[in-house]
Amino acid sequence: MEAKKLAGEPPSEEEFERALNKTLGNFLLSHESLLEQAAYLAKYEALGLGYEYDERVPEELKKVAPSDVQAAARKFLVNGTVVIVGPKYSQ
């Protein structure tokens, strides 16, 4: 769903469920190795969230509603700005 459309109306229930399931699946797959698990736990600790946050992520994701997605799109995706970072191009 494109950003402008998403800001105007929430995603359909089917689209929302598909995105949620994909996000949850990717989260679980990203924890397959002990190294990846340790990296997540260290990141959460460094951010001040505590290592327990890793267990709460799926629960927190399941609390999101299609209207929350729409609100976030309105706030962050409408009238966006593009920034290009890199060395200045000269001819």
Side-chain angles (χ1 to χ4, degrees):
M1 182 174 249
E2 62 185 58
K4 275 188 176 180
K5 184 177 177 187
L6 189 56
E9 63 183 75
S12 68
E13 196 63 39
E14 179 184 333
E15 186 174 23
F16 178 78
E17 285 296 319
R18 189 171 52 245
L20 176 61
N21 289 336
K22 182 171 182 159
T23 302
L24 289 169
N26 286 341
F27 177 79
L28 295 173
L29 287 172
S30 71
H31 286 68
E32 285 188 335
S33 75
L34 290 177
L35 180 62
E36 291 165 328
Q37 292 172 27
Y40 273 101
L41 299 179
K43 178 174 77 171
Y44 297 140
E45 281 293 321
L47 292 172
L49 298 169
Y51 67 89
E52 303 92 352
Y53 182 74
D54 195 66
E55 293 177 6
R56 294 192 320 263
V57 171
E59 297 165 19
E60 295 297 322
L61 286 171
K62 290 176 185 176
K63 291 179 186 177
V64 176
S67 59
D68 297 324
V69 175
Q70 181 185 19
R74 283 183 178 159
K75 183 173 182 178
F76 298 111
L77 300 180
V78 176
N79 298 323
T81 301
V82 175
V83 177
I84 300 174
V85 179
K88 185 176 179 179
Y89 176 75
S90 60
Q91 295 180 346

